[in-house]
């Protein structure tokens, strides 16, 4: 475990140094990220301009969901997508062999190969949105609510990462998965809304198949003190299932990899 932590620290340090090579671009990228993150709340102002609540969620409560969405977008775009996008290039060029020959777990190596540190500003933007949301709600979260939400954040990151692994595993069968990644990003945009907004089969899909509800709505309910215990447990069960399933599919994809000459 210590060896992999050292490897992870080295990969993050290398990505940060590469980003700081062009400091003006680094700062500009950070400012652009803040701008795009703030645009996420524009639809809220439009929807709540003529009503007090949507599907039982007030403006402040919905802003909590947007804050979680902003935080996870930073994780997705800064730590998951850059590395996993490189896997597609490795498979396409037949250079994945160099990764597989290294004396470390291949999934760990490809998952930590590249980071985009300026995406971390999304975490700062998310903190600002959390503060604004609770000012609008009129009271802060309880210590238990914060602890539960942080635990759910860990489960959400596992689910998000597992979905990324499942997506890139498709690269071993369909080399061009760019459209699939873009489709996933478009679907993830729905996570900025409370799951109660969606009805019927779509709500079931966003809870169990592509569990967006577990990533943003459930942590928000935990902060509000309204998340039932069975939903809390469900989040971890789903996270474990997705982690185990994505690991099995990744190993199967690797076993069928035949390099560029295959």
């Amino acid at each position: 475990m210590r060896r992999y932590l050292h490897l992870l620290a080295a990969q993050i340090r290398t990505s940060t140094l590469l980003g700081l090579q062009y400091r003006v671009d680094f700062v500009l990228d950070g400012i652009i990220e803040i701008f795009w993150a703030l645009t996420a709340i524009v639809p809220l102002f439009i929807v709540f301009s003529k009503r007090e609540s949507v599907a039982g969620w007030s403006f402040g409560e919905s802003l909590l969901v947007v804050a979680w969405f902003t935080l996870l977008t930073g994780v997705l775009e800064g730590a998951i997508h850059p590395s996993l996008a490189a896997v597609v290039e490795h498979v396409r060029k037949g250079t994945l062999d160099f990764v597989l020959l290294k004396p470390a777990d291949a999934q760990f190596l490809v998952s930590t190969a590249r980071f985009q540190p300026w995406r971390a500003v999304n975490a700062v933007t998310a903190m600002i949105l959390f503060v604004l949301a609770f000012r609008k709600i009129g009271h802060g979260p309880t210590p238990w609510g914060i602890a539960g939400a942080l635990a759910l954040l860990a489960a959400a990151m596992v689910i998000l990462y597992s979905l990324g692994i499942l997506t890139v595993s498709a690269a071993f069968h369909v080399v061009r998965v760019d459209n699939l990644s873009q489709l996933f990003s478009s679907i993830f945009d729905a996570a900025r809304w409370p799951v109660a907004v969606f009805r019927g089969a779509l709500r079931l899909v966003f809870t169990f198949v592509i569990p967006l509800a577990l990533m943003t709505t459930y942590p928000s309910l935990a902060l509000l003190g309204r998340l039932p215990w069975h939903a809390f447990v469900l989040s971890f069960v789903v996270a474990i299932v997705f982690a185990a399933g994505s690991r099995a599919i990744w190993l199967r994809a690797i076993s069928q990899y035949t390099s560029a000459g295959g």
Side-chain angles (χ1 to χ4, degrees):
M1 178 61 75
R2 181 178 298 179
R3 178 186 173 210
Y4 282 98
L5 289 176
H6 285 162
L7 279 173
L8 177 61
Q11 300 279 42
I12 294 175
R13 185 168 58 252
T14 302
S15 296
T16 303
L17 291 175
L18 285 173
L20 288 173
Q21 278 185 319
Y22 306 96
R23 297 186 181 182
V24 174
D25 289 347
F26 188 89
V27 173
L28 286 177
D29 286 335
I31 294 173
I32 291 172
E33 279 305 305
I34 293 174
F35 171 77
W36 283 116
L38 292 178
T39 60
I41 64 176
V42 172
L44 282 187
F45 284 108
I46 297 174
V47 170
F48 285 94
S49 62
K50 294 183 179 179
R51 63 187 71 185
E52 293 294 325
S53 66
V54 174
W57 287 71
S58 67
F59 176 82
E61 293 166 349
S62 298
L63 195 56
L64 271 184
V65 179
V66 174
W68 284 111
F69 171 78
T70 303
L71 183 60
L72 288 176
T73 297
V75 174
L76 179 66
E77 301 294 337
I80 297 177
H81 264 174
S83 295
L84 297 186
V87 180
V88 179
E89 288 302 312
H90 278 310
V91 174
R92 184 180 301 162
K93 297 177 180 176
T95 55
L96 190 63
D97 312 47
F98 299 110
V99 178
L100 299 178
L101 291 173
K102 292 180 179 178
D105 183 78
Q107 183 176 339
F108 176 85
L109 290 177
V110 300
S111 301
T112 59
R114 191 181 300 168
F115 295 94
Q116 294 184 342
W118 56 87
R119 301 282 187 177
V121 298
N122 280 284
V124 178
T125 309
M127 293 303 112
I128 295 172
L129 294 178
F130 278 125
V131 172
L132 293 176
F134 279 110
R135 283 177 63 88
K136 195 70 178 177
I137 292 170
H139 62 82
T142 65
W144 283 111
I146 295 174
L150 290 175
L152 290 173
L153 173 61
M157 291 171 66
V158 169
I159 294 171
L160 198 58
Y161 168 71
S162 300
L163 288 172
I165 289 293
L166 290 172
T167 302
V168 298
S169 294
F172 292 89
H173 304 284
V174 183
V175 177
R176 295 292 301 180
V177 294
D178 302 28
N179 293 335
L180 191 58
S181 297
Q182 291 172 3
L183 175 62
F184 173 69
S185 296
S186 299
I187 293 174
F188 183 67
D189 274 346
R192 72 179 67 204
W193 297 101
V195 73
V197 170
F198 306 99
R199 301 292 182 187
L202 202 53
R203 183 186 294 188
L204 290 176
V205 169
F206 286 159
T207 302
F208 298 104
V209 181
I210 307 174
L212 304 181
L214 278 58
M215 300 182 202
T216 56
T217 301
Y218 284 16
S220 301
L221 287 172
L223 285 177
L224 294 169
R226 302 201 314 239
L227 184 70
W229 67 268
H230 59 80
F232 186 82
V233 174
L234 173 67
S235 297
F236 290 96
V237 172
V238 172
I240 292 171
V241 169
F242 267 77
S246 63
R247 175 68 175 175
I249 290 175
W250 166 262
L251 292 176
R252 181 176 176 80
I254 287 292
S255 68
Q256 295 177 343
Y257 174 66
T258 55
S259 184

